[in-house]
Amino acid sequence: MRDLLTLVRPIAATSAIVFLALAAGCSKSANTVAESTASAAPQTSSAVEAKTASRLGDLTAFRSIAADVAATVDKGNLPAAKARIKDLEVAWDSAEAGLKPRSPQDWHTVDKAIDRALAALRADAPTQGDCKKAMSDLLKTFDTVG
């Protein structure tokens, strides 16, 4: 029993830290995000980041994972893309309590796009074309929500 507790406590502590970090990152206002990105990034990337600051808050971390998955799909490495999209699923689900109350409609729009991307990559026989379309649609959703 003690061995189990010594294993569970660090895992629980680490999980709590990750959750709080995600929640804190999601609670920034759109103005704070826009100001920090405008001064710290070149004009082209700040435009993308400003688009991802929405009624839901700062979605750049989620969009970044989605862009990484899309790049992996473009390379034709569907197994790696399937593994990487799990990170998006976990992060999105972990942040749900902080994001969904801000704009339930926007949250559901993004959530459904993520679900479609997950379904395409987790299909019994995924195709690069289906996965590429689902990831493109997901990135467009991130860019238009807000």
Side-chain angles (χ1 to χ4, degrees), residues 11-28:
I11 292 171
T14 303
S15 298
I17 291 169
V18 169
F19 177 74
L20 290 173
L22 283 172
C26 294
S27 66
K28 291 182 180 178

Side-chain angles (χ1 to χ4, degrees), residues 38-95:
S39 62
Q43 185 64 24
T44 55
S45 66
S46 66
V48 170
E49 290 174 10
K51 284 184 181 180
T52 57
S54 69
R55 290 180 292 232
L56 293 172
D58 184 9
L59 301 179
T60 54
F62 304 110
R63 191 190 187 290
S64 176
I65 296 170
D68 187 36
V69 173
T72 306
V73 167
D74 288 344
K75 292 177 185 174
N77 191 347
L78 299 183
K82 178 181 175 180
R84 179 69 170 127
I85 202 162
K86 176 75 175 171
D87 297 334
L88 176 60
E89 179 182 33
V90 170
W92 184 253
D93 290 345
S94 295

Side-chain angles (χ1 to χ4, degrees), residues 71-123:
T72 306
V73 167
D74 288 344
K75 292 177 185 174
N77 191 347
L78 299 183
K82 178 181 175 180
R84 179 69 170 127
I85 202 162
K86 176 75 175 171
D87 297 334
L88 176 60
E89 179 182 33
V90 170
W92 184 253
D93 290 345
S94 295
E96 177 181 359
L99 296 176
K100 193 174 182 181
R102 294 177 183 191
S103 178
Q105 183 177 356
D106 288 348
W107 185 89
H108 282 291
T109 299
V110 175
D111 189 61
K112 287 177 185 176
I114 291 172
D115 287 344
R116 288 188 294 272
L118 287 166
L121 284 161
R122 292 176 176 168

